Amino acid sequence: MTHNLLENLTFNDNTEMPRIGLGTWKLGGAEGVRAIRTAIELGYRHIDTASAYANEEVVGQAIAEAIAAGDVTREELFITTKAWNNEQGAAEIPLAFQRSLDRLGLEYVDLYLVHWPCQEKGLYLESFEAMTRLQGLGFVQSIGVANFYEEVLREVVEETGVVPALNQVELHPGFSQEPLRALHQELGVVTEAWSPLARGILLMNPVLDSIAREVGKTTAQVALNWAMELGCSVVPKSTHPKRLRQNLESASFKLSAEQVAAISALDDHAGFGRIFQDPQVFTG
Ligand code: A2P
């Protein structure tokens, strides 16, 4: 499998998204505004937030400042936000969406996601369906899900007749989500990796380190390039300008098929795998 990592990804609704986005979980306050402004100055055009991150106002402020400074236009930006677990339900989703828009200071978002299935609540289907209506009204360009596993993803497609544009899931070296990626490919869903650097804990890994030396890049760049080579979008987070630049530049080199395979094989190593909670049990 080979992709031009510098090209946008195309969704099943024929809209596009830059492959690399800025993750903003835990970004907040003045430091958050500064990091997002810096990211936009460096060339990031895709920013990922969520109502649960409690930083939509910070993201909105950074966007407003960047637009006012002439760094970017709204149309050049791709903004994702997500409905939290207590915002699910047919009646609640439009209200939650309006609250997100108000906090972001935006008139539309590019992508709106159901943040977790929370299967035992039984509201994910009607929540996604409510998003299809928001999309129909033109308030959101594309709609998708996050942390959905096979059973709930198939159910969404079968029951609503709409294929989510994207599923954002935990994915990093050591947890390549191979079966889920195959399902996404079958259905036409883009895979987006959250925590593609596994919160930084994999960056000392000897396999990544030796490949990084071979290609003259950092381990973070290798991890991000690998995920993109698998066809995924990535949303790494950093507050440091040097790392923000490094991460953005991770699309501009090519790993060999053997290097990609060696990183994917980390799935089989003891001690690797999922770091965060399994969405089949996570209720938020
Ligand atoms: P920091 O914000 O201090 O740069 P993930 O996006 O997988 O959750 O990982 C985010 C973590 O990885 C953060 O702790 C971030 O720290 C760190 N990080 C982000 N980019 C890099 C990089 N290029 N090199 C090393 N660490 C990084």
Side-chain angles (χ1 to χ4, degrees), residues 66 77 98 244:
L77 290 171
Q98 189 57 53
L244 285 168

Side-chain angles (χ1 to χ4, degrees), residues 195-200 203 220 235-240 243 246-247:
S195 267
L197 303 173
R199 301 275 181 263
L203 299 177
V235 286
K237 168 253 168 195
S238 181
T239 48
H240 294 92
R243 290 175 173 177
Q246 224 185 71
N247 296 348

Side-chain angles (χ1 to χ4, degrees), residues 62-268:
I63 292 171
E65 288 181 13
I67 292 173
D71 294 344
V72 77
T73 63
R74 169 67 187 94
E75 295 69 35
E76 287 168 338
L77 290 171
F78 186 99
I79 310 297
T80 303
T81 195
K82 316 181 190 85
W84 186 239
N85 304 342
N86 62 7
E87 295 175 319
Q88 286 200 22
E92 192 50 41
I93 286 289
L95 303 174
F97 181 71
Q98 189 57 53
R99 289 194 296 271
S100 283
L101 280 188
D102 291 346
R103 287 189 293 259
L104 286 161
L106 298 177
E107 287 174 2
Y108 70 96
V109 297
D110 299 271
L111 180 63
Y112 195 36
L113 308 179
V114 180
H115 205 150
W116 292 84
C118 285
Q119 194 174 15
E120 80 293 341
K121 274 193 181 165
L123 296 173
Y124 55 92
L125 279 179
E126 59 179 88
S127 298
F128 184 72
E129 219 157 31
M131 289 186 181
T132 66
R133 290 190 283 276
L134 291 175
Q135 185 183 32
L137 292 169
F139 292 119
V140 52
Q141 184 179 282
S142 300
I143 52 172
V145 294
N147 304 298
F148 274 47
Y149 39 93
E150 177 164 3
E151 182 192 350
V152 286
L153 188 55
R154 282 200 188 276
E155 198 186 343
V156 161
V157 175
E158 276 156 26
E159 296 295 323
T160 69
V162 179
V163 181
L166 170 150
N167 187 15
Q168 185 185 107
V169 295
E170 177 181 346
L171 190 154
H172 44 73
F175 193 53
S176 74
Q177 293 265 29
E178 195 184 347
L180 192 57
R181 282 188 293 107
L183 174 68
H184 289 168
Q185 196 158 12
E186 175 198 323
L187 296 174
V189 176
V190 165
T191 308
E192 185 164 73
W194 62 257
S195 267
L197 303 173
R199 301 275 181 263
I201 60 181
L202 282 167
L203 299 177
M204 309 287 276
N205 178 270
V207 173
L208 290 179
D209 187 55
S210 103
I211 294 173
R213 284 167 201 275
E214 283 165 25
V215 296
K217 302 289 174 187
T218 68
T219 49
Q221 288 177 314
V222 167
L224 296 175
N225 188 286
W226 164 82
M228 289 188 281
E229 191 58 46
L230 296 181
C232 305
S233 163
V234 291
V235 286
K237 168 253 168 195
S238 181
T239 48
H240 294 92
K242 205 172 138 207
R243 290 175 173 177
L244 285 168
R245 184 192 296 275
Q246 224 185 71
N247 296 348
L248 190 63
E249 287 172 354
S250 64
S252 43
F253 65 98
K254 176 114 191 75
L255 292 173
S256 69
E258 293 72 30
Q259 289 165 332
V260 170
I263 300 169
S264 297
L266 289 172
D267 278 14
D268 305 324

Side-chain angles (χ1 to χ4, degrees), residues 7-51:
E7 277 177 6
N8 286 345
L9 279 162
T10 303
F11 290 145
N12 59 32
D13 62 11
N14 283 325
T15 62
E16 292 184 16
M17 176 184 77
R19 248 169 235 269
I20 302 182
L22 176 68
T24 67
W25 189 52
K26 298 254 162 100
L27 276 187
E31 186 190 44
V33 175
R34 205 163 39 243
I36 297 164
R37 283 291 308 273
T38 304
I40 293 172
E41 278 166 26
L42 289 169
Y44 282 80
R45 294 293 176 262
H46 166 184
I47 300 169
D48 181 84
T49 183
S51 69

